[in-house]
Amino acid sequence: DAGVIQSPRHEVTEMGQEVTLRCKPISGHDYLFWYRQTMMRGLELLIYFNNNVPIDDSGMPEDRFSAKMPNASFSTLKIQPSEPRDSAVYFCASSPAFVTEAFFGQGTRLTVV
Amino acid sequence: KNEVEQSPQNLTAQEGEFITINCSYSVGISALHWLQQHPGGGIVSLFMLSSGKKKHGRLIATINIQEKHSSLHITASHPRDSAVYICAVIRIIQGAQKLVFGQGTRLTINP
């Protein structure tokens, strides 16, 4: 398996635009996680899915953020409208269970200008 | 005070030294996760612990649930171990599992 695949690797967008980040988890993993990392706040868990169902989205900063997992092999994180303070690296990870080692994608570096 | 505190925040050592990174937490947890983030930004999951000790190569992780403390040790450190090491605890809050992260320890191993 190629590991967790995220796209794009880098995204630069203007304030107010919609941004969609994509993630392909490792096949067979039941859990998918979206994280955000900033210098100020460090690493934060935004939302996680179990068997394609969102379990806990309490880490999603506000209604401008939404995440979906339409099937076991694909998830999206959408920001609409984007703001400069959303600039961060967004990581996707997958794992066979919650309490096991997770496998991280390479991250998407988002810059909102 | 953060729920998860790591120490030291920065650590510089010479190649070959034995390294210890500490993680203390103030809440009840179900498990603790150690992550490694390389200078290029990629994150690797090292260990998930709920009790005792785990070893993988030169890395050893221990946890003492009663003392609310975990340590990550690196034996015979090497420059390629230079990275940020992040501790995260898993809590159960209102039936949902939550992850709380420490601020990370930046480790630099000089040749």
Side-chain angles (χ1 to χ4, degrees), chain A residues 45-98:
Chain A
L45 177 62
L46 300 178
I47 184 172
Y48 74 92
F49 295 82
N50 179 23
N51 292 321
N52 313 339
V53 176
I55 301 301
D56 183 15
D57 65 355
S58 60
M60 297 284 261
E62 46 195 277
D63 291 346
R64 297 184 297 106
F65 286 69
S66 63
K68 294 182 179 180
M69 192 165 185
N71 57 62
S73 59
F74 183 66
S75 178
T76 59
L77 178 68
K78 187 176 293 187
I79 308 172
Q80 165 63 16
S82 58
E83 296 182 5
R85 60 193 166 118
D86 302 330
S87 298
V89 180
Y90 292 82
F91 288 97
C92 174
S94 71
S95 66
F98 194 98

Side-chain angles (χ1 to χ4, degrees), chain B residues 82-103:
Chain B
S82 299
V84 175
Y85 292 82
I86 302 168
C87 161
V89 300
I90 297 172
R91 303 181 59 197
I92 307 292
I93 300 175
Q94 296 178 334
Q97 299 187 89
K98 305 281 187 184
L99 268 171
V100 181
F101 292 89
Q103 75 276 34

Side-chain angles (χ1 to χ4, degrees), chain B residues 2-38:
Chain B
N2 294 332
E3 290 181 343
V4 181
E5 293 278 353
Q6 288 186 236
S7 64
Q9 289 192 24
N10 294 282
L11 177 58
T12 300
Q14 291 299 121
E15 183 174 356
E17 287 189 37
F18 181 82
I19 302 299
T20 296
I21 298 170
N22 297 298
C23 176
S24 296
Y25 50 92
S26 57
V27 295
I29 69 169
S30 59
L32 183 144
H33 201 167
W34 280 104
L35 305 169
Q36 178 192 55
Q37 186 166 29
H38 288 283

Side-chain angles (χ1 to χ4, degrees), chain A:
Chain A
D1 202 313
V4 176
I5 300 172
Q6 290 187 247
S7 64
R9 290 292 307 277
H10 302 273
E11 176 81 31
V12 180
T13 191
E14 291 187 347
M15 184 173 66
Q17 296 297 306
E18 177 180 294
V19 175
T20 299
L21 311 181
R22 296 172 175 81
C23 176
K24 182 181 188 305
I26 292 173
S27 176
H29 282 187
D30 290 339
Y31 283 82
L32 183 140
F33 306 85
W34 281 102
Y35 296 90
R36 178 173 70 174
Q37 187 176 39
T38 62
M39 289 293 292
M40 289 296 294
R41 300 174 67 90
L43 202 56
E44 303 171 279
L45 177 62
L46 300 178
I47 184 172
Y48 74 92
F49 295 82
N50 179 23
N51 292 321
N52 313 339
V53 176
I55 301 301
D56 183 15
D57 65 355
S58 60
M60 297 284 261
E62 46 195 277
D63 291 346
R64 297 184 297 106
F65 286 69
S66 63
K68 294 182 179 180
M69 192 165 185
N71 57 62
S73 59
F74 183 66
S75 178
T76 59
L77 178 68
K78 187 176 293 187
I79 308 172
Q80 165 63 16
S82 58
E83 296 182 5
R85 60 193 166 118
D86 302 330
S87 298
V89 180
Y90 292 82
F91 288 97
C92 174
S94 71
S95 66
F98 194 98
V99 191
T100 59
E101 287 83 358
F103 295 80
F104 283 76
Q106 288 300 299
T108 294
R109 182 173 295 276
L110 174 65
T111 303
V112 183
V113 298

